[in-house]
Amino acid sequence: MAGVVVGCDDGRVEKLGPEAGFTIVACISWDARLRTPVDGALGLVRVDGVDASSVLAGLVLKLGAAGKPVLLDSLTIAGFNIVSPPALERLVGSPVLAVYNYRPSMERLVAGLRSSGLPLAGERMRVLSLVEGAVEAETPRGTVYLVAWGMEAPEAVRLAVETQVYGRKPEPVRIAHYTASEASEALKRG
């Protein structure tokens, strides 16, 4: 696979709840052939909000990566702010792949969402129900669970394997997490 992929993740999420505020997200464009980051963009999402899909779409567009695969480590970001793969595909034409290091549990997600008391629980659960279709994949770095939208399972496995460098988490997502976490710390220090 040659070309660019985009990895997105959040930084530190201090506390959950409607008064929690915002956290930083980063999207990193990654040259899959050279196995190196090319560019990055930062944005803010509301903790437990409903803006993750639109913010990530804006960052993908800012990177000039519309139509390129977007990698995540979960469909949840900034607490229970949900990334909707169908919405992201509709907004930027990108297939989406969430690569979990553990088997995602709909039961745990439902319990957490119910106890949170957040609005739009039904809409959030409709998107989160995609984890029920997670595909288990053995990779050279270990077992991962893939939730893919806009790509078939063999392509999703290939993309996961080809973006792993140091561990099971795809390298663009690992770098996005590190970048967003460092930016969050810098913002916190003032």
Side-chain angles (χ1 to χ4, degrees), residues 103-127:
R103 181 179 301 281
S105 165
M106 192 63 182
E107 185 177 300
R108 284 192 311 250
L109 289 167
V110 167
L113 191 54
R114 280 196 182 129
S115 69
S116 73
L118 293 170
L120 303 170
E123 288 81 357
R124 294 174 202 248
M125 287 313 306
R126 271 193 286 288
V127 173

Side-chain angles (χ1 to χ4, degrees), residues 145-163:
Y145 300 88
L146 308 174
V147 176
W149 185 267
M151 68 179 78
E152 298 297 323
E155 182 183 1
V157 172
R158 187 177 69 249
L159 182 59
V161 168
E162 290 180 358
T163 56

Side-chain angles (χ1 to χ4, degrees), residues 32-47:
R33 187 178 53 81
L34 298 176
R35 297 174 61 94
T36 188
V38 177
D39 201 357
L42 298 174
L44 291 173
V45 295
R46 183 171 292 283
V47 173

Side-chain angles (χ1 to χ4, degrees), residues 87-136:
L88 204 50
E89 183 183 46
R90 188 173 53 257
L91 292 168
V92 296
S94 294
V96 179
L97 177 61
V99 181
Y100 289 82
N101 284 344
Y102 55 88
R103 181 179 301 281
S105 165
M106 192 63 182
E107 185 177 300
R108 284 192 311 250
L109 289 167
V110 167
L113 191 54
R114 280 196 182 129
S115 69
S116 73
L118 293 170
L120 303 170
E123 288 81 357
R124 294 174 202 248
M125 287 313 306
R126 271 193 286 288
V127 173
L128 290 174
S129 69
L130 292 173
V131 304
E132 293 177 318
V135 173
E136 182 176 346

